[in-house]
Amino acid sequence: MASLYNKPHRIASRRVLVLAGLSCFLPPAAKSDSISFDPVVIDSTNPCNPHCKTLGDIDGDGFIDALAASSMVDGLFWYEYPTWNKHRIASGAWTTDMQVGGVDGDGDLDVILGEHMGETRLLLFENQSNGTVWVQHLVDAGGAGIDHHDGTHPVDIDSDGDLDIISMGWFNDKVWLFENKAIDGSTPADTTPPSLQSVTAAGNPNQLRVRFDEIVDTTTAETPGHYAIDLGISVTGATLGGDGRTVTLTTSTMSEGLTYTLTVTNVQDAAGNPMATPGEAAFSFIVIDISSGRVAHFPFGDGSGAIAADASGNGHHGTRPKISAKW
């Protein structure tokens, strides 16, 4: 990961504004129902002045976690869904913008953020071992004429297969591009077989999310016969998500309070390498409270497709909107 980025390229003397939206669409029959949102306190002793916030699946379990950083030397943290356990990434004071992205290409999300005051650096925190180990890398040292208050957006701007970083500052009106030099034009042959990374069952007693440590082959991943669950649970369907790594299984009804074991065989990765040995993982079904009055529950990270499944059990499945962004 050392020296991944070459010197910054100045793009233009103007500011760029990107707006992102998240919408939930209910079917016509449910439009007249009132929808209430219950506040959830993630951290009652949050970092001082947490101006910097973002979301991403840090531990690779298929669910969205939260990140927050203090602007008052109180540190950078990520919060693990659904218990919201607090994990420190680094100490220090940070700016108002932070993003996550797979910068090093190892399949997990790294953290990119800049400094507004002090050294005005741009830093990358490399995620190792699903959020348990973090390695800090200096992308830009900042200095006169460069700070990174408003930027740190990862994007493959040169279409070479890796994420570059676009950043801009508060004290200057320059937009900077930092080119990721991790890709050298040659890709070694993939000879490593896939393995299980995580198994999660929450909300829907007839659904199980299985995440692999790399992109897997669609045909073998979507074969129900390649998955077996003990205690009499049958697998009737398997759907590979848009990330190429997460498979959603349709199962017979699971019960809370039991420990199940999932066994996976014969799944191949995108290069055709089959699993070297059967993968096994123990898991328990977690009930999500669907108190009266709640119309629907759409969990983060539920895969891709035209339909967003309602995990509340009320049957209010939604249609996913198409989201696009333009510079």
Side-chain angles (χ1 to χ4, degrees), residues 208-250:
L208 180 69
R209 287 186 179 86
V210 180
R211 186 173 176 87
F212 293 89
D213 64 345
E214 61 174 316
I215 294 176
V216 292
D217 167 64
T218 301
T219 300
T220 57
E222 293 189 336
T223 301
H226 291 169
Y227 307 88
I229 304 174
D230 65 354
L231 303 184
I233 301 300
S234 59
V235 178
T236 58
T239 303
L240 182 63
D243 64 352
R245 300 169 59 189
T246 304
V247 178
T248 301
L249 301 182
T250 302

Side-chain angles (χ1 to χ4, degrees), residues 32-52:
S32 61
D33 296 331
S34 61
I35 300 177
S36 61
F37 293 88
D38 299 325
V40 175
V41 177
I42 293 178
D43 184 3
S44 59
T45 58
N46 57 276
C48 182
N49 289 346
H51 294 165
C52 195

Side-chain angles (χ1 to χ4, degrees), residues 11-41:
I11 297 177
S13 295
R14 62 169 55 182
R15 295 187 180 276
V16 179
L17 177 64
V18 178
L19 301 178
L22 175 64
S23 302
C24 173
F25 294 86
L26 297 179
K31 286 184 177 179
S32 61
D33 296 331
S34 61
I35 300 177
S36 61
F37 293 88
D38 299 325
V40 175
V41 177

Side-chain angles (χ1 to χ4, degrees), residues 20-152:
L22 175 64
S23 302
C24 173
F25 294 86
L26 297 179
K31 286 184 177 179
S32 61
D33 296 331
S34 61
I35 300 177
S36 61
F37 293 88
D38 299 325
V40 175
V41 177
I42 293 178
D43 184 3
S44 59
T45 58
N46 57 276
C48 182
N49 289 346
H51 294 165
C52 195
K53 300 169 286 293
T54 193
L55 300 171
D57 181 9
I58 296 300
D59 55 359
D61 64 355
F63 291 92
I64 301 297
D65 308 298
L67 298 93
S70 167
S71 63
M72 298 294 290
V73 199
D74 200 17
L76 165 64
F77 302 89
W78 73 276
Y79 299 87
E80 181 181 355
Y81 177 89
T83 60
W84 303 119
N85 288 337
K86 184 177 183 179
H87 307 273
R88 179 182 289 272
I89 297 175
S91 302
W94 309 100
T95 179
T96 60
D97 191 77
M98 169 171 55
Q99 299 290 334
V100 294
V103 176
D104 58 356
D106 66 352
D108 56 22
L109 295 180
D110 309 300
V111 178
I112 312 158
L113 75 170
E115 295 175 318
H116 171 41
M117 307 294 288
E119 298 181 61
T120 67
R121 299 171 299 175
L122 177 59
L123 298 172
L124 166 69
F125 291 93
E126 180 189 356
N127 182 358
Q128 296 185 351
S129 301
N130 296 323
T132 60
V133 177
W134 296 89
V135 178
Q136 177 178 308
H137 301 276
L138 177 66
V139 177
D140 183 68
I146 303 179
D147 73 281
H148 301 283
H149 182 277
D150 303 316
T152 68

